[in-house]
Amino acid sequence: MPAPSPGAPRTLSRDVARRFLVVRHLLAPPRQLPAEPESVLQVMDRIGSLQFDPLEIAGRNHDLVLLARVAGYRRQWTDRWLYEDRALYETYNKMLSIVPTAELPWYRLTWDRNHEEHSGGTFDEHAPLVEEMLTRIREGGPLLPRDVGPRGAIDWYWRPTNQVRAILEALAEAGIVGIARREGNLRVYDLVERLFPAELLASRVPEREQRSHRLLSRYRANGLLGSGGQSELWYGTGRNAAERADLRTELVSSGRLVPVVVDGFKGERFVVGGELGMLEQAIDEVATGASPGGIEPGVAFLAPLDPLCWDRDLLRRLFDFDYVWEVYVPEKKRRWGYYVLPILYGDRLVGRIEPRIERRAGVLRITGLWWEPGFDPMADPAFPAAFAHAIAAHRDFGGMARVALPRTVAHRPFVTMVRAALRT
């Protein structure tokens, strides 16, 4: 690859860009981190933010992100960091996300904005209920909304909602209460001063610095974002595109972001400044024909909201993979299925899988399996065993006793090989 002219962004081939992404996402190979709770924090150190989604078909989104990167991952490890040690906490960054608690001062903007909005609306309109909820928590400790008893519904965002649930959500959005723990996906609330150190809550960071931190967090999460893309990529960063551009320029000037150009893509994309060593690794591996990470490629099932999948246009153009998460698509209009995950093999997206954890039956059921055009799962003799390894990791994560694989004729030879690999 020729050296760039002074001041010009480095140009990356599509092969190098793909390799860089899987290397920096701790997916070369998958499940490379040790089977221990501390590995969750290693992932957080790398990508900075995990999107929280309560749907639990194959596992919650953040659990699936971690399962792809951490050997033997168990959901209680993240729950420990969230609700016991409190090294992590839930807040809004893009959408509801898990971020490091140490970064709380740089995410206060959401609390402050919501506090201002609710103080002139919800908190005034429902002042007696607000005071009742706060009194219950102050005197009785952590509160599960359903323990209060039924109350009338009020208009809340996109649908009528029980008053108690709505008011507690508003108090949490305003940073007055926080999530002490979850019972399943139900939130148990407590006062924030009981959940976080006083000095952390007292720390204040200028708003512009907070927005810059949030903008950088999006680049930390994905690894190769540009300056455009879907609007949800940039929620909560700059007030508008002009402010984001200004903040991005500052991040580049400080070296925290480094612009690059990817062959065939218009405009610059940006690499986190501290990850240039991984970019050099990707360049060397592609130049020498080495496999990702220098070892045999593995298989991972990517979460629908995995940071690697955030920029759907990047997936489409860089990986030749058109991914739509169809949970919100009417069933008759779905092309694939309800909760379908991309299949990563090495640095290629080679197919899609729809796993379901059926707890009553003790089964990990694969309800759908599709290969990308041109990919033959039998052509590479190492692929069936690598696929079986990913299946076994998912089975064990869910605590399932067995796996039910597709019985279709088209998949029969491949499934036979996978079953054999699962028995070894």
Side-chain angles (χ1 to χ4, degrees):
M1 180 178 297
S5 60
R10 188 168 206 162
T11 297
L12 311 179
S13 69
R14 294 171 78 248
D15 289 342
V16 166
R18 281 193 302 271
R19 183 65 57 89
F20 166 69
L21 280 173
V22 298
V23 167
R24 64 89 53 191
H25 268 284
L26 301 167
L27 292 168
R31 298 172 296 281
Q32 64 181 261
L33 297 179
E36 59 189 24
E38 288 72 18
S39 292
V40 173
L41 300 183
Q42 281 190 255
V43 176
M44 293 300 300
D45 285 343
R46 176 64 55 84
I47 62 179
S49 180
L50 290 177
Q51 198 161 334
F52 189 107
D53 187 89
L55 279 178
E56 194 164 1
I57 308 301
R60 297 171 299 179
N61 179 76
H62 67 276
D63 289 321
L64 296 179
V65 173
L66 292 162
L67 176 61
R69 293 158 172 84
V70 179
Y73 173 72
R74 297 295 181 264
R75 60 182 289 164
Q76 57 265 33
W77 296 349
T78 305
D79 289 349
R80 165 191 158 178
W81 298 120
L82 280 168
Y83 311 124
E84 296 175 27
D85 296 77
R86 300 200 184 280
L88 307 174
Y89 82 111
E90 299 177 36
T91 191
Y92 283 87
N93 180 37
K94 185 174 177 282
M95 302 297 284
L96 183 62
S97 298
I98 298 168
V99 303
T101 302
E103 297 179 18
L104 186 153
W106 287 266
Y107 289 106
R108 283 199 65 107
L109 181 58
T110 299
W111 283 1
D112 295 341
R113 294 293 187 195
N114 285 328
H115 194 289
E116 181 180 351
E117 180 181 342
H118 289 316
S119 293
T122 301
F123 293 161
D124 287 346
E125 294 168 16
H126 303 278
L129 186 57
V130 170
E131 184 55 37
E132 179 189 344
M133 294 301 101
L134 290 176
T135 299
R136 280 177 176 262
I137 294 172
R138 277 194 295 264
E139 297 178 356
L143 180 66
L144 182 64
R146 69 182 180 190
D147 290 343
V148 176
R151 304 288 176 90
I154 59 174
D155 288 334
W156 188 244
Y157 292 115
W158 57 85
R159 65 179 183 274
T161 299
N162 179 282
Q163 289 183 48
V164 171
R165 175 182 171 184
I167 294 304
L168 287 169
E169 283 186 4
L171 289 167
E173 289 172 353
I176 298 170
V177 302
I179 301 175
R181 64 180 187 277
R182 285 179 179 263
E183 295 186 5
N185 276 320
L186 299 177
R187 304 174 189 184
V188 179
Y189 295 99
D190 202 353
L191 302 175
V192 292
E193 53 263 36
R194 293 175 180 164
L195 303 178
F196 303 108
E199 60 272 19
L200 198 63
L201 292 174
S203 178
R204 290 292 187 272
V205 173
E207 180 176 324
R208 184 175 178 82
E209 196 174 325
Q210 291 188 57
R211 291 190 183 277
S212 179
H213 182 85
R214 286 176 182 238
L215 183 62
L216 180 60
S217 80
R218 309 304 161 83
Y219 290 99
R220 286 177 65 196
N222 177 265
L224 200 60
L225 291 179
S227 56
Q230 313 93 278
S231 60
E232 62 265 24
L233 288 172
W234 311 114
Y235 286 161
T237 54
R239 295 181 184 86
N240 50 49
E243 185 180 38
R244 283 198 301 274
D246 192 27
L247 293 170
R248 189 181 303 110
T249 298
E250 291 178 0
L251 290 169
V252 171
S253 297
S254 68
R256 286 178 287 177
L257 288 181
V258 177
V260 296
V261 174
V262 179
D263 277 341
F265 285 68
K266 291 183 179 180
E268 295 175 340
R269 291 191 169 256
F270 300 89
V271 174
V272 175
E275 298 183 356
L276 295 180
M278 286 179 272
L279 182 58
E280 293 298 332
Q281 176 185 337
I283 292 169
D284 290 344
E285 286 182 1
V286 170
T288 60
S291 60
I295 65 174
E296 289 299 315
V299 169
F301 308 140
L302 300 183
L305 301 172
D306 192 298
L308 178 58
C309 300
W310 277 5
D311 189 341
R312 301 296 201 235
D313 184 58
L314 182 65
L315 284 189
R316 187 179 305 111
R317 298 171 60 197
L318 191 60
F319 289 86
D320 298 316
F321 191 81
D322 189 10
Y323 182 55
V324 177
W325 191 31
E326 295 182 308
V327 289
Y328 301 114
V329 176
E331 184 174 1
K332 291 182 179 179
K333 295 184 178 181
R334 289 180 196 139
R335 184 179 179 188
W336 308 108
Y338 179 68
Y339 205 94
V340 173
L341 313 180
I343 302 173
L344 179 74
Y345 181 47
D347 60 5
R348 297 282 180 164
L349 291 171
V350 300
R352 303 156 203 261
I353 187 169
E354 187 172 17
R356 289 177 177 263
I357 294 173
E358 298 181 355
R359 298 197 182 280
R360 289 187 178 180
V363 174
L364 173 66
R365 187 175 304 280
I366 309 305
T367 62
L369 184 60
W370 304 266
W371 305 117
E372 288 298 282
F375 180 76
D376 180 356
M378 305 289 287
D380 183 343
F383 180 75
F387 182 89
H389 193 274
I391 289 285
H394 211 121
R395 175 199 64 200
D396 296 345
F397 158 73
M400 300 296 99
R402 61 190 182 92
V403 176
L405 294 162
R407 295 180 176 273
T408 58
V409 173
H411 292 307
R412 189 172 294 161
F414 176 70
V415 164
T416 298
M417 295 185 71
V418 171
R419 286 199 179 105
L422 286 170
R423 288 194 291 269
T424 60

